[in-house]
């Protein structure tokens, strides 16, 4: 099954029990990227996933596949350091994260590429 996005780099079909964070962790795609690429299908709360629905995981040329699942105690500094990148690049690749990094949540999946995607 192909997602409707014409420049889709990777596709995924929703299965029973899926959540946005779960799909993101399993498929190495940031939660933000998944939501942005599928904004026409996934609502802000990500509570409208339909079994069998095709999703696009990333756009060709803009597909971050290097990720980190946020754990208790994580900070942007520790995530960036662990990934071998900088906080500036981490924030650029995750525009949903504020500059103080106070709005990341456990289970959220962040892009940790060492260059801006």
């Amino acid at each position: 099954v192909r997602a409707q996005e014409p420049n889709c780099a990777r596709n995924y079909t929703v299965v029973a029990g899926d959540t946005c964070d779960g799909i993101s962790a399993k498929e190495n795609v940031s939660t933000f990227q998944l939501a942005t690429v599928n904004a026409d299908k996934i609502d802000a709360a990500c509570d409208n996933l339909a079994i069998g629905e095709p999703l696009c995981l990333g756009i060709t040329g803009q597909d971050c596949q290097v990720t980190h699942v946020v754990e208790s105690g994580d900070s942007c500094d520790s995530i960036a350091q662990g990934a071998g990148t900088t906080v500036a690049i981490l924030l650029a690749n995750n525009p949903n994260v504020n500059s103080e990094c106070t709005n990341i949540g456990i289970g959220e999946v962040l892009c940790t590429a060492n260059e801006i995607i």
Side-chain angles (χ1 to χ4, degrees):
V1 176
R2 303 280 308 167
Q4 300 304 308
E5 175 60 51
N7 298 316
C8 190
R10 299 181 288 148
N11 296 284
Y12 179 81
T13 302
V14 176
V15 297
D18 271 344
T19 64
C20 284
D21 285 344
I23 293 169
S24 294
K26 180 171 49 175
E27 298 296 326
N28 291 318
V29 58
S30 76
T31 306
F32 175 81
Q33 181 174 298
L34 179 69
T36 301
V37 172
N38 296 285
D40 61 331
K41 297 178 183 180
I42 300 174
D43 65 18
C46 191
D47 58 7
N48 65 330
L49 294 174
I51 295 171
E53 182 173 33
L55 299 176
C56 178
L57 300 180
I59 302 299
T60 302
Q62 303 172 358
D63 182 16
C64 181
Q65 297 183 47
V66 182
T67 59
H68 173 81
V69 179
V70 176
E71 299 174 352
S72 179
D74 277 350
S75 68
C76 282
D77 287 332
S78 68
I79 293 168
Q81 183 176 15
T85 190
T86 67
V87 172
I89 292 173
L90 180 72
L91 293 174
N93 283 331
N94 298 281
N96 54 315
V97 177
N98 65 34
S99 60
E100 295 80 32
C101 200
T102 56
N103 65 334
I104 60 172
I106 294 171
E108 183 176 358
V109 183
L110 300 178
C111 172
T112 54
N114 61 9
E115 62 185 8
I116 297 175
I117 302 295

